[in-house]
Amino acid sequence: MIQRRDLLITGGSTAIAIAACGLFATPANAARGSIVTAKAIGPLNAYRSANGRGALAGDAALGRAALEHSKAMAQAGRLNHNRFRARLRSHGIAGAAAENVAMGQPNLTSVIASWQNSRGHRRNMLGKFSRVGVATARDPASGNRPYWTMILSR
């Protein structure tokens, strides 16, 4: 995607508009993603409540760490938990934490259902955590499949 930046130079009574196209290019195959924690909180907390667990609060740092990881997985074209602790530290997150990842589910509802139906992922979602960050990313170079990351922390 090419971003356009316009610069207006004024001098005296003269104004010259200079358009710079292509100077701020973003690679066409760069992973794009978004933090979806705010949309995930309701379904996650309903699930936790139904299972006798306390509510989670959205956490911006966890969301940024989840987005970073979703983008890395999308670029690599595979699921992983690479650099989990280092990633958390780089976002100022310390202490107990867990991570759920997924690939291919088309929307938030389906990825949450998928995690609920997996013993290990369900254990993380119902764990003794109080904060959460959730993100998704896609990369055209790896088939544009959605990659999901949920990070839970105390």
Side-chain angles (χ1 to χ4, degrees), residues 24-151:
F24 302 97
T26 302
N29 65 348
R32 290 184 173 78
S34 59
I35 297 171
V36 295
T37 306
K39 294 177 185 175
I41 287 287
L44 289 173
N45 283 337
Y47 181 66
R48 285 177 60 89
S49 178
N51 286 277
R53 300 290 187 212
L56 297 168
D59 184 279
L62 292 173
R64 288 188 300 273
L67 179 59
E68 176 185 316
H69 192 56
S70 290
K71 285 182 174 183
M73 289 189 303
Q75 289 170 340
R78 64 183 182 85
L79 293 176
N80 64 64
H81 293 283
N82 293 351
R83 301 186 61 248
F84 178 59
R85 288 289 166 201
R87 211 171 347 105
L88 294 183
R89 279 192 304 274
S90 75
H91 289 275
I93 302 158
E99 177 176 72
N100 287 352
V101 297
M103 175 194 69
Q105 293 81 356
N107 55 51
L108 186 60
T109 301
S110 63
V111 76
I112 290 173
S114 175
W115 285 329
Q116 288 171 343
N117 291 316
S118 165
R119 185 173 41 151
H121 295 111
R122 181 174 52 249
R123 182 177 59 242
N124 287 344
M125 290 170 57
L126 297 175
K128 294 181 180 180
F129 299 112
S130 60
R131 301 176 299 143
V132 67
V134 184
T136 186
R138 295 172 183 259
D139 191 324
S142 63
N144 222 28
R145 292 178 301 274
Y147 285 79
W148 300 88
T149 305
M150 173 192 294
I151 303 176

